[in-house]
């Protein structure tokens, strides 16, 4: 007895044709990519800063109470010209300095971040909780956090690179919803 396959033969009684449900363009993206496409992704840099002996390069993002948005840290990157320690804190106070403006990563988009920022060299003060502490050698560094650090309204994120005589930079990328 032969084993005849009755399925999917064009002259057979049960012929079926599969339908491909793919619709073009088929695009998959990370949460960061989706936020960037929606105009909700931001970047902040200290640029390259000369840091004096015994001081730290400091960068801070404050999410004010009642802001209506939550910050999700995507990436922290930068570089140093000498060995240093990168520390990410919850909380802290930066006295003086400048207030750099976050840039929307969807170039040309007019959406702005609701976060308040501060940058300076010195020492971070106030109530601090260390989240990450990473020893760095001279050169570049990058921490892909993919939203694993979340800063809700009423919270502060501070980043310190130092201490020592060096040139350093801190770049912070996040999305907010």
């Amino acid at each position: 007895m032969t084993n005849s396959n009755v399925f999917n033969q064009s002259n057979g009684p049960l012929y079926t044709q599969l339908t491909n449900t793919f619709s073009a363009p088929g695009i998959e993206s990370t949460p960061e990519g989706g936020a960037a496409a929606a105009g909700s992704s931001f970047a902040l840099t200290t640029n390259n800063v000369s840091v004096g002996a015994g001081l730290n390069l400091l960068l801070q993002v404050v999410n004010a109470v009642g802001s209506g948005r939550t910050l999700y840290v995507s990436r922290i990157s930068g570089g140093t010209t000498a060995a240093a320690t990168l520390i990410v804190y919850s909380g802290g106070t930066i006295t003086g300095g400048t207030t750099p403006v976050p840039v929307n990563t969807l170039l040309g988009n007019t959406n702005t971040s609701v976060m308040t920022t501060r940058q300076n060299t010195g020492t971070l003060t106030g109530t601090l909780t260390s989240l990450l502490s990473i020893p760095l050698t001279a050169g570049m560094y990058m921490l892909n956090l993919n939203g694993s650090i979340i800063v809700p309204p009423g919270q502060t994120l501070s980043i310190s690179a130092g201490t020592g005589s060096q040139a350093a930079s801190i770049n912070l990328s996040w999305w907010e919803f």
Side-chain angles (χ1 to χ4, degrees):
M1 177 164 159
T2 59
N3 187 5
S4 299
N5 185 356
V6 296
F7 297 101
N8 262 359
Q9 293 178 355
S10 62
N11 61 353
L14 297 175
Y15 175 71
T16 60
Q17 185 174 3
L18 296 175
T19 303
N20 185 350
T21 59
F22 174 78
S23 62
I27 298 174
E28 293 185 24
S29 181
T30 61
E32 294 95 335
S40 298
S41 177
F42 301 92
L44 183 65
T45 183
T46 61
N47 293 308
N48 296 324
V49 177
S50 179
V51 181
L55 299 177
N56 298 290
L57 176 58
L58 305 171
L59 184 64
Q60 184 175 72
V61 177
V62 178
N63 191 354
V65 173
S67 72
R69 293 192 198 165
T70 299
L71 179 149
Y72 300 85
V73 179
S74 176
R75 181 174 304 101
I76 300 171
S77 63
T80 67
T81 58
T85 300
L86 181 75
I87 304 176
V88 178
Y89 297 99
S90 171
T93 302
I94 295 177
T95 305
T98 62
T99 55
V101 177
V103 175
N104 192 308
T105 62
L106 178 55
L107 303 183
N109 189 290
T110 58
N111 292 349
T112 58
S113 173
V114 297
M115 305 303 152
T116 303
T117 66
R118 182 150 311 273
Q119 171 187 335
N120 204 355
T121 57
T123 303
L124 196 60
T125 60
T127 304
L128 308 166
T129 302
S130 179
L131 300 174
L132 298 169
S133 180
I134 300 168
L136 302 173
T137 58
M140 298 183 305
Y141 63 88
M142 183 182 319
L143 301 172
N144 287 316
L145 298 168
N146 304 315
S148 63
I149 296 178
I150 300 170
V151 184
Q155 297 298 310
T156 299
L157 179 77
S158 301
I159 305 167
S160 168
T163 62
S165 292
Q166 62 182 312
S169 66
I170 301 171
N171 304 300
L172 177 63
S173 299
W174 74 87
W175 73 91
E176 52 191 63
F177 286 110

